[in-house]
Amino acid sequence: MEIKRPLFLISNDDGYQANGINALVEMLIGIGDIIVCAPEIPCSGMSCAFSATAPLRLRLRERREGLEVWSCTGTPVDCVKMALAELVPRKPDMVVGGINHGDNASVNVHYSGTMGVTLEGCMKYIPSVAFSLCDSREDADFEPLRSLVCGIVLKVLREGLPLGVCLNVNFPLSDSGDASKPYKGVRVCRMSKGSWGNEVVRCRHPRGYDYWWMAGDYTNDEPDAEDTDRWALSHGYVAITPTQTDVTAYSALETIKSWEI
């Protein structure tokens, strides 16, 4: 009886040509078969947006043993929906987002297209994991992540995840100088409280009109809380945050029920 290799569906928000997603493919190709469906252009900040009013196109970019790479004209979530509907030969064993250029810790989880990929997989009841590195550079070095990325993926394949729960995994920059132990360790932690300010930057075009960039400065609202993802990353640890699709505020249910409306 032929034993099927695991099937991974991989996407991101940096685009199919990004170094991060290509590094992820090379890390996982030895573990299972891979179908990549990723945006044709960078789509950072798309969160769970999908194209409700625009047609989409798919384009095959690469095919080799155990791997197909497709680009999609839509959002990261579009890519997952399109791949599940049109590309995969069977239900994937895992949806993997990333590896993102830049972290997706704290409130960034609400904006991230990479997390959109992972949440979409989770809502389809497929074990799903997002990987991000605290390095936004185009030529970021993803090699130090290899051992832990593969280890986490294999663990999820073996153990599964609770329904409605996915993993948001963020890696700090490695500065240990020891390639065999690039991080202090791994911490399973909660999302830290934080906020973005100064988000809109006004610029003046040479032709005489104003335009704006969305940028901003992040403020960690609890920098000393050692059980958070931001603390872990700032102290050299890999942060794993279990994230759920059910956003009900259960702690507030009884209070709101008591309101006289």
Side-chain angles (χ1 to χ4, degrees):
M1 179 178 177
E2 182 182 357
I3 299 176
K4 291 183 178 179
R5 280 161 46 93
L7 176 61
F8 299 111
L9 171 56
I10 294 178
S11 192
N12 71 350
D13 67 2
D14 293 313
Y16 79 97
Q17 293 179 308
N19 287 338
I21 195 170
N22 287 291
L24 180 61
V25 166
E26 294 309 317
M27 291 175 191
L28 300 185
I29 194 68
I31 298 175
D33 295 332
I34 294 172
I35 291 180
V36 173
C37 186
E40 284 198 353
I41 60 174
C43 291
S44 294
M46 285 289 184
S47 186
C48 291
F50 67 97
S51 299
T53 60
L56 302 173
R57 294 186 64 186
L58 289 169
R59 183 175 178 183
L60 179 63
R61 299 290 182 169
E62 180 183 358
R63 178 180 281 143
R64 56 184 162 98
E65 183 68 28
L67 173 66
E68 287 186 4
V69 178
W70 294 80
S71 66
C72 174
T73 54
T75 70
V77 166
D78 287 333
C79 292
V80 176
K81 291 180 180 293
M82 289 287 285
L84 292 176
E86 299 290 336
L87 302 179
V88 298
R90 57 184 172 87
K91 184 177 181 179
D93 296 280
M94 191 180 303
V95 171
V96 188
I99 299 170
N100 193 66
H101 292 247
D103 79 84
N104 280 313
S106 186
V107 294
N108 289 350
V109 69
H110 295 296
Y111 304 115
S112 165
T114 297
M115 280 304 299
V117 165
T118 308
L119 289 165
E120 182 66 21
C122 188
M123 287 188 283
K124 295 292 193 291
Y125 305 112
I126 303 170
S128 300
V129 182
F131 293 106
S132 303
L133 173 64
C134 294
D135 189 344
S136 298
R137 295 176 300 174
E138 185 178 327
D139 62 347
D141 181 12
F142 295 96
E143 187 57 32
L145 286 60
R146 178 183 291 270
S147 177
L148 280 171
V149 166
C150 293
I152 291 168
V153 165
L154 287 169
K155 188 70 172 178
V156 172
L157 284 174
R158 288 194 298 266
E159 304 293 336
L161 289 170
L163 289 181
V165 174
C166 56
L167 298 184
N168 180 18
V169 183
N170 286 276
F171 290 82
L173 279 174
S174 174
D175 58 2
S176 69
D178 182 356
S180 65
K181 193 175 182 181
Y183 307 111
K184 289 183 180 178
V186 176
R187 293 176 74 101
V188 178
C189 45
R190 66 177 175 88
M191 181 181 117
S192 62
K193 296 180 177 66
S195 57
W196 284 90
N198 302 317
E199 295 178 274
V200 179
V201 178
R202 182 196 297 261
C203 302
R204 190 69 174 173
H205 195 277
R207 293 189 176 179
Y209 57 85
D210 291 335
Y211 64 97
W212 291 262
W213 284 101
M214 288 292 177
D217 303 307
Y218 175 80
T219 299
N220 186 349
D221 295 331
E222 44 180 354
D224 298 322
E226 297 184 11
D227 61 338
T228 68
D229 50 11
R230 283 290 181 187
W231 189 94
L233 293 171
S234 64
H235 289 78
Y237 292 90
V238 178
I240 300 180
T241 304
T243 303
Q244 62 186 23
T245 57
D246 181 354
V247 295
T248 305
Y250 289 99
S251 61
L253 276 177
E254 295 307 315
T255 299
I256 307 303
K257 285 179 182 179
S258 69
W259 289 4
E260 294 184 6
I261 301 174

